[in-house]
Amino acid sequence: MSEVTMERSGPVLRIEDLTVETSGARPAPILNGISLEIRSGETVCLVGESGSGKSVTSLATMGLLPKSALAVREGRILLEGEDLLRAGSARLKDLRATRMSMIFQEPMMALNPVLTVGYQIEEVLQAHSNLSSLEQRQLVMEMMEHVHLPDVKRIYGSYPHQLSGGQRQRIMIAMALILRPKLLIADEPTTALDVTTQKQILRLIRELQGDLGTSVLFITHDMGVVADIADRVCVMHNGRIVEEGSTETILRTPREDYTRDLLTAVPALAPRLPRNETSREAILEIVDLVKIYSTKSLFKPRQETVAAEKVNLTLKRGRTLGIVGESGSGKSTVARCAMRLIEPTSGSIRVAGQEISSLSRSALHPYRKRIQMIFQDPNRSLNPRRTVGESITEGPVNYGMSKLDASAKAKELLELVGLPADVIDRHPHQFSGGQRQRIAIARALAMEPDVLVADEAVSALDVSVQAQVLDLLDDLQERLKVAILFITHDLRVAAQICDDVAVMQKGRVVEYGPAERVLQYPQQDYTRELLDAAPGKGWDFPNFRPLPSASTPIESFKQ
């Protein structure tokens, strides 16, 4: 038997001693001789923190490394025995659709905003098949139905912005699998999705894998996702695979300290111990809040969408109130109305007893400092052209503080959030994602607010960094007695940090009360569905064991 024949009877993907370095006069290693295999129909999860080398591994496999920045120095990447590192650009272009494909984390970045999604799927067939236009359209329609998209005729002619996040991700999956490749690489495809949509997408990938026999390399930092879908796990750290094994082995008996640290950082789904109320002062009150979006055009009648309907919430000083629910449930709408970033249609918003819902912009100015926001992505909320110090001092200076005093205060705040004061003159790109979020928190605290609004403030962070930021918020709250309105789709995060929880569905608060009651004894079916959809709900990760009520969580998910 020839070497190639032997290779083809082996794994679908084999990576051998792959080394990737930065380009330039002083190359630095990014991947240090990694090796892994994926067999036919198998799902291998590649896990690790940001910067561990997960995405570089996937880009090297797809032949998509930025040539001006990174280069492969050693190793082989074999797809069904063919060395991808020796393939020319034309051959790689052909292989990317026919034998390997990739789903990216953010479909809005991967899809063309000015082309319909149906046409974008058809483009794959136009480039790699001899089908007629009618046959291409028919195959696209069938694939869209296969990924469980509703009303495929309407969606075929829709643009990306007209679809939900889950629907856009289904379009990406349809595009990736339409030519039935042997290898699918999924790079954090569910990170930005709410738990129910995430569960649907993970089930869909597993279902299609069974139908098509596709091998999956799934890149994630979410150990809950790993527990639900992986057959085997490769743990990456500093460009090396430090541990590898079956999912059961990794979750039950991790050998490496790094793996154990990843698992112990996963928040428990059980709520935190109740805290005594140190203050009865209602610092934020939302009463009968209504927000209706209206759209009108020359040829269509006015259409109204109720984003928030009769919402009533109370946040007390030193407490954390979590708002949870699916995308589109109205969570962020309520938060932005509370901050007067958008105008409520009706209702009352009171900050420390002061009614602000009807104040003009000029009259609102003194109250802006009392309620500050931490956004989801510090890469977007921090100005890349400004130093850290300039970002933190901007607010206090605008409210009359001298630049000298504001700078001194900024240094104190940097140390308060766990960063050295001497980083004040650096720019955001010189920090990690977790450090940038700490800077965003310092900027919000510079105004000495009564309320912090955290809108998905940790959803884009690795589990270990997420744990650090949550601990930081908890510590700051104990010290400063600031109230926190915490918006999240991650029930594990809500359980760890929230004193009270409001569950929103279609603009309404359907369940509201202490976190212990809502998360342990939910009264509404919708709340129970959210809890059931939480990834890895069958595992007690910090203690390396399955929960007693779920003896075989992995197998039950795969059914």
Side-chain angles (χ1 to χ4, degrees), residues 7 10-16 36-38 76-79:
E7 294 278 18
V12 170
L13 177 69
R14 175 183 290 164
I15 298 176
E16 298 177 349
L36 64 87
E37 292 184 353
I38 306 177
R76 296 198 301 170
I77 302 175
L78 304 173
L79 179 65

Side-chain angles (χ1 to χ4, degrees), residues 114-236:
V114 300
L115 298 176
T116 64
V117 295
Y119 178 78
Q120 292 185 63
I121 301 175
E122 276 188 16
E123 283 185 314
V124 179
L125 298 175
Q126 291 170 8
H128 299 282
S129 76
N130 296 318
L131 298 175
S132 67
S133 297
L134 183 61
E135 290 172 327
Q136 289 175 13
R137 183 184 176 97
Q138 183 178 354
L139 185 56
V140 169
M141 290 288 194
E142 290 175 357
M143 194 66 202
M144 289 172 69
E145 289 180 349
H146 205 42
V147 298
H148 305 310
L149 282 164
D151 193 5
V152 294
K153 289 184 179 180
R154 176 186 64 82
I155 289 183
Y156 177 92
S158 298
Y159 293 89
H161 73 273
Q162 296 175 308
L163 305 181
S164 69
Q167 288 173 336
R168 286 192 292 266
Q169 201 59 286
R170 289 171 189 267
I171 291 295
M172 291 298 299
I173 293 171
M175 190 182 301
L177 296 179
I178 192 146
L179 288 176
R180 297 175 176 257
K182 289 292 185 180
L183 174 67
L184 174 65
I185 299 175
D187 190 358
E188 301 274 12
T190 62
T191 297
L193 303 178
D194 58 64
V195 287
T196 51
T197 305
Q198 180 185 64
K199 183 176 181 179
Q200 294 166 9
I201 294 299
L202 294 176
R203 282 191 182 277
L204 175 62
I205 291 175
R206 173 61 68 175
E207 176 188 323
L208 294 174
Q209 183 181 28
D211 292 343
L212 306 178
T214 305
S215 302
V216 177
L217 177 61
F218 200 102
I219 296 168
T220 183
H221 64 255
D222 190 332
M223 299 304 294
V225 170
V226 171
D228 282 347
I229 70 164
D231 297 303
R232 287 190 303 112
V233 182
C234 295
V235 182
M236 289 197 73

Side-chain angles (χ1 to χ4, degrees), residues 81 104 110 116 120 149 160 192 285 314 328 340 343 409 448 488 501 514:
F104 294 93
T116 64
Q120 292 185 63
L149 282 164
E285 297 171 276
T314 300
R340 286 290 306 274
E343 298 298 320
K409 185 174 186 177
E448 299 181 356
T488 183
V501 171

Side-chain angles (χ1 to χ4, degrees), residues 67 102 302 482 551:
K67 294 181 180 179
M102 190 167 181
R302 178 188 295 271
V482 65
S551 56

Side-chain angles (χ1 to χ4, degrees), residues 72 76 108 111 148 334 337 375 428 440 451 502 509:
V72 175
R76 296 198 301 170
M108 278 300 281
L111 292 170
H148 305 310
V334 170
C337 283
F375 295 92
V451 180
V509 175

